Amino acid sequence: MGPKSRQLPAQPLGPFLGPLRRGAGDPSVRRVGDVWWRASRTPEGPVLLEIAGGAEVVVRAWGPGADWALTAVPALLGAEDDPSGFEPHHEVIAAALRQFGVPRIGRTRAVLEAYAPACLEQKVTGQEAYASYRTLLLRHGEPAPGPASSGDRGHPAAGMRLPLSGEQWAALPSWAFIRAGVDRSRTVALLAGARRADALERTLTRSGPQADQALQSLPGVGPWTSAEVRQRAHGDPDAWSDGDYHVPGAITLALTGEVLDNDACRELLAPYYGHRLRIQALCLRIGLPPRHGPRRTLPTHLPH
């Protein structure tokens, strides 16, 4: 059976799809030129999406979840985001808005798919976390539908894997995590959410603060992990990366000319409550410090 498809107005894809890819070797999200491939699980079943930019955005979908995923594509690309009430309180933000426009926030509506890799990324370098995620999906994940499992090794989606379901994560033996380089604390956090996967997905019906509270009620989940999940799955425009290794320094440097700590960053962001992720996006676009995500060995006191 061939793919289903739809067309959307032209727009950049990287700001929405880039944060979903956990490293260049992510088996569930792949970029080939101007085309993005994303394997996902929907309430109606697995799906493989091909999202191509250009004069218009052309989306094709394979698998039982194709109809659901195509309906959700506008939200994935920020169409349901509401930036009303967002106003600059610093000249650097006003200038960035003139240059880049208001950042729009997309949402996947797939909480576990954001939660699991966020847990793996706690307190380690991005390279280590990405390698662990890639190993676990390649060894234990199912092939994505359509061309990913067609046997055509030359196809750009060849070999792509679906993210693991809650049941699949929970069924993994402890040695699977150890072989993938995942320590006990991150395994505990990941499995706590996987075993309550239905409850995780129900946070999509809650407000940002309510979803944050629910996520942080899980063992091993703090402000940073909660924010990483809400950024992607919920499209929460207030879910700034509280406690990140680089982001507070990027924001404070952009707003004050100095690299300050997380507490100072939280204070600077207070006037933007409700839109703090937009400020983060603009400050990272300015581009002085490294982009989000640890890239070297980290101290052991990093938050989760």
Side-chain angles (χ1 to χ4, degrees), residues 19-202:
L20 307 183
R21 183 173 64 162
R22 286 0 224 250
D26 185 344
S28 65
V29 180
R30 185 175 293 172
R31 181 180 182 181
V32 182
D34 292 331
V35 179
W36 289 82
W37 296 86
R38 177 174 178 251
S40 181
R41 296 181 182 273
T42 79
E44 297 179 1
V47 68
L48 177 69
L49 283 174
E50 177 193 31
I51 308 175
E56 61 181 355
V57 175
V58 178
V59 187
R60 298 199 295 169
W62 292 261
D67 288 333
W68 189 96
L70 289 174
T71 300
V73 163
L76 179 67
L77 300 181
E80 296 181 0
D81 181 34
D82 180 10
S84 61
F86 177 55
E87 297 180 359
H89 296 276
H90 297 82
E91 175 53 35
V92 68
I93 297 301
L97 284 173
R98 290 191 293 270
Q99 182 177 358
F100 302 118
V102 177
R104 304 299 289 255
I105 312 299
R107 59 173 178 162
T108 66
R109 302 177 183 171
V111 184
L112 180 62
E113 290 180 15
Y115 178 88
C119 290
L120 295 177
E121 291 169 12
Q122 294 175 356
K123 303 180 183 179
V124 297
T125 66
Q127 183 176 3
E128 290 172 297
Y130 297 157
S132 296
Y133 188 61
R134 180 172 63 251
T135 295
L136 288 164
L137 262 61
L138 289 175
R139 288 179 177 171
H140 306 286
E142 303 169 60
S149 54
S150 67
D152 179 0
R153 295 185 179 182
H155 195 279
M160 290 187 67
R161 294 289 193 274
L162 291 166
L164 273 65
S165 67
E167 293 83 0
Q168 288 172 325
W169 281 118
L172 290 184
S174 59
W175 56 259
F177 291 98
I178 294 171
R179 286 178 61 185
V182 184
D183 58 50
R184 176 174 170 75
S185 65
R186 290 182 291 149
T187 300
V188 167
L190 194 160
L191 292 179
R195 290 168 179 149
R196 300 194 64 199
D198 290 344
L200 282 183
E201 304 306 324
R202 288 197 294 272

Side-chain angles (χ1 to χ4, degrees), residues 4 22 43 45 61 63 76 88 117 171 183 189 198 218 246 256 267 283 304:
K4 299 182 178 181
R22 286 0 224 250
L76 179 67
D183 58 50
D198 290 344
L218 294 167
H246 294 304
T256 71
E267 184 175 346
C283 290
H304 47 66

Side-chain angles (χ1 to χ4, degrees), residues 270-288:
Y272 298 103
Y273 182 83
H275 298 277
R276 289 177 290 182
L277 182 55
R278 301 191 205 281
I279 299 300
Q280 174 177 316
L282 287 169
C283 290
L284 292 176
R285 288 290 297 273
I286 292 170
L288 293 176

